[in-house]
C-alpha cells in the first residue's frame, strides 16, 4: 500500500511531555513531506492552537481541528465547519454550570471560559491544557450563561474539565439525555468534549481526504488518546504511541515508541522509508 496522507494527533503524540517538539520529530515531518505525502494534524485543540504547532512543523496544509468540527488552513476560509447552534450552546452551558467544572467555549477566533473557585476560595482560570496562543483571545466570565444571554455564541466545540470523575460521568449522562444532536466524549482525566452530532476526527479526515482525492485506506494515523481510537481503527494504517493507554494500543495496527522517545520519527522512518515519492 502506498500511503498518501499522514494525520497526527498533537497531545501525547507530536508533543513531548514538556509540551515541546523535538528536532527528530520536525525532521521526520520534513522527511515524509519530501516523499510527497500530505501531512495534517487531527486534534481536539482549537484551530489557532493547532496552527501554532503546524507552523513550528512548517506544515501549511488544511488542519482537522476542534475534533473535526473545523477544518481549515486559514481561519477565515474554512474547508468545513459545523458549529453548535447558539440555543444549544446556551442549553449545554446551563447544564454544565450546575456542576463543579471549568467550561470553555472554543470558537475558532476566541475562547470564553468561566472562573472556577477552588480550595481557599481562590479563583482559578484554567487553560485545560490547550496552551492558548496570544493571538487567540480568552475571556473569563463569572457565568457562561449570563454572558451568552447578551452575547450569543455558536462555537464548533465546548470543553468541560471536571475535578471529580463521578461528576463528569453524571454530566455526560445528563447532556446525552437532555440535549439532542450532540456528541459527548470523556477523556481519561475527566474532561468532556462536546461537538455537533456526526462530528469526529475520523469524519474530519474523511472530509479532507475527499477534498484531496485521498481515501482512508491511503492514510496513516498516529494517536495517543482514547479519543483517537476511532480514527486509528478506520485508517489504512493506525498507529498508537508507546505512551498510549492499553486500549488504544489494542486498537492499533502498529505501536511505535513513546512521545518522549521520538515515537513519531521512529514510525515515519520505518513505514515510509521504502515508499517512493507520491503525487497528490
Amino acid at each position: 500500500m502506498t500511503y498518501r496522507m499522514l494525520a497526527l494527533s498533537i497531545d501525547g503524540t507530536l508533543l513531548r511531555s514538556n509540551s515541546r517538539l523535538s528536532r527528530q520529530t520536525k525532521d521526520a515531518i520534513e522527511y515524509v513531506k519530501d516523499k510527497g505525502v500530505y501531512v495534517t494534524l487531527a486534534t481536539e485543540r482549537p484551530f489557532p492552537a493547532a496552527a501554532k504547532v503546524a507552523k513550528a512543523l512548517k506544515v501549511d496544509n488544511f488542519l482537522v481541528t476542534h475534533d473535526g468540527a473545523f477544518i481549515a488552513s486559514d481561519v477565515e476560509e474554512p474547508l468545513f465547519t459545523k458549529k453548535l447552534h447558539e440555543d444549544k450552546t446556551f442549553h449545554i452551558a446551563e447544564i454544565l454550570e450546575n456542576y463543579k467544572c471549568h467550561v470553555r467555549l472554543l470558537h475558532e477566533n476566541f475562547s470564553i471560559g468561566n472562573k472556577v473557585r477552588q480550595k481557599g476560595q481562590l479563583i482559578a482560570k484554567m487553560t485545560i491544557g490547550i496552551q492558548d496562543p496570544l493571538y487567540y483571545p480568552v475571556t473569563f466570565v463569572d457565568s457562561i450563561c449570563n454572558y451568552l444571554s447578551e452575547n450569543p455564541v455558536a462555537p464548533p466545540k465546548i470543553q468541560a474539565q471536571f475535578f471529580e470523575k463521578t461528576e463528569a460521568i453524571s454530566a455526560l449522562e445528563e447532556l446525552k439525555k437532555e440535549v439532542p444532536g450532540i456528541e459527548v466524549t470523556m477523556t481519561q482525566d475527566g474532561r468532556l468534549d462536546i461537538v455537533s452530532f456526526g462530528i469526529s476526527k475520523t469524519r474530519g479526515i474523511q472530509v479532507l481526504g475527499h477534498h484531496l482525492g485521498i481515501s482512508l485506506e491511503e492514510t496513516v494515523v498516529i494517536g495517543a488518546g482514547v479519543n483517537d481510537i476511532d480514527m486509528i481503527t478506520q485508517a489504512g494504517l493506525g498507529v498508537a504511541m508507546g505512551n498510549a493507554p492499553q486500549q488504544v494500543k489494542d486498537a492499533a495496527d502498529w505501536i511505535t515508541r513513546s512521545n518522549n522517545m521520538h515515537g513519531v520519527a521512529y514510525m515515519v522512518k520505518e513505514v515510509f522509508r521504502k515508499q517512493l515519492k507520491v503525487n497528490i
Side-chain angles (χ1 to χ4, degrees):
M1 170 62 73
T2 297
Y3 297 113
R4 301 173 61 206
M5 182 158 68
L6 173 63
L8 305 108
S9 183
I10 294 178
D11 297 289
T13 302
L14 282 168
L15 300 183
R16 305 179 74 180
S17 295
N18 62 4
S19 298
R20 295 182 179 276
L21 289 165
S22 70
R23 169 50 55 190
Q24 290 89 335
T25 297
K26 292 180 180 179
D27 290 346
I29 298 305
E30 280 299 314
Y31 176 84
V32 79
K33 283 166 57 183
D34 288 343
K35 291 273 189 176
V37 176
Y38 193 94
V39 178
T40 186
L41 307 183
T43 177
E44 63 270 19
R45 290 189 177 209
F47 179 82
K52 184 179 181 181
V53 176
K55 183 177 181 180
L57 291 170
K58 298 180 180 179
V59 170
D60 57 2
N61 297 330
F62 287 106
L63 308 178
V64 179
T65 67
H66 295 82
D67 274 327
F70 192 85
I71 304 171
S73 59
D74 182 329
V75 71
E76 300 302 331
E77 298 180 2
L79 173 68
F80 171 86
T81 182
K82 188 172 183 181
K83 299 183 179 182
L84 294 159
H85 190 273
E86 292 173 356
D87 292 342
K88 193 163 290 185
T89 298
F90 185 86
H91 192 185
I92 292 167
E94 272 190 316
I95 291 172
L96 291 175
E97 287 197 339
N98 290 322
Y99 295 88
K100 193 172 183 179
C101 64
H102 177 74
V103 182
R104 185 69 71 88
L105 307 186
L106 299 175
H107 191 270
E108 67 270 21
N109 288 314
F110 58 84
S111 176
I112 307 296
N114 64 331
K115 300 173 185 177
V116 181
R117 293 189 179 275
Q118 292 182 307
K119 292 180 179 179
Q121 296 301 303
L122 294 175
I123 295 177
K125 297 179 179 180
M126 297 177 62
T127 62
I128 325 186
I130 65 170
Q131 296 185 336
D132 310 294
L134 294 176
Y135 47 86
Y136 184 54
V138 183
T139 300
F140 289 97
V141 298
D142 291 315
S143 168
I144 296 281
C145 287
N146 289 348
Y147 178 89
L148 292 175
S149 295
E150 298 181 4
N151 309 276
V153 175
K157 181 179 176 181
I158 297 173
Q159 280 186 342
Q161 180 67 59
F162 288 76
F163 303 103
E164 300 291 339
K165 199 165 186 178
T166 53
E167 282 226 325
I169 294 170
S170 296
L172 183 149
E173 292 173 349
E174 184 176 354
L175 285 166
K176 286 186 173 182
K177 180 181 177 181
E178 299 295 334
V179 187
I182 61 172
E183 302 274 4
V184 188
T185 57
M186 186 170 71
T187 62
Q188 283 193 312
D189 62 351
R191 188 188 75 217
L192 297 187
D193 291 340
I194 306 161
V195 293
S196 294
F197 181 77
I199 292 298
S200 67
K201 291 183 185 180
T202 305
R203 179 61 182 148
I205 293 171
Q206 285 179 310
V207 170
L208 176 56
H210 180 75
H211 175 73
L212 298 171
I214 300 174
S215 68
L216 273 176
E217 289 72 26
E218 298 173 297
T219 301
V220 178
V221 164
I222 313 178
V226 174
N227 60 350
D228 294 325
I229 289 178
D230 185 59
M231 66 175 183
I232 285 173
T233 58
Q234 298 296 318
L237 179 64
V239 181
M241 297 294 292
N243 50 289
Q246 190 58 47
Q247 64 194 109
V248 181
K249 294 178 180 178
D250 291 342
D253 301 306
W254 207 79
I255 302 171
T256 187
R257 296 170 180 170
S258 73
N259 58 332
N260 291 328
M261 294 292 290
H262 316 300
V264 169
Y266 177 73
M267 175 270 158
V268 162
K269 294 294 175 65
E270 288 295 308
V271 172
F272 291 96
R273 182 175 52 203
K274 296 181 181 180
Q275 180 167 303
L276 299 176
K277 186 170 183 176
V278 296
N279 294 314
I280 299 296

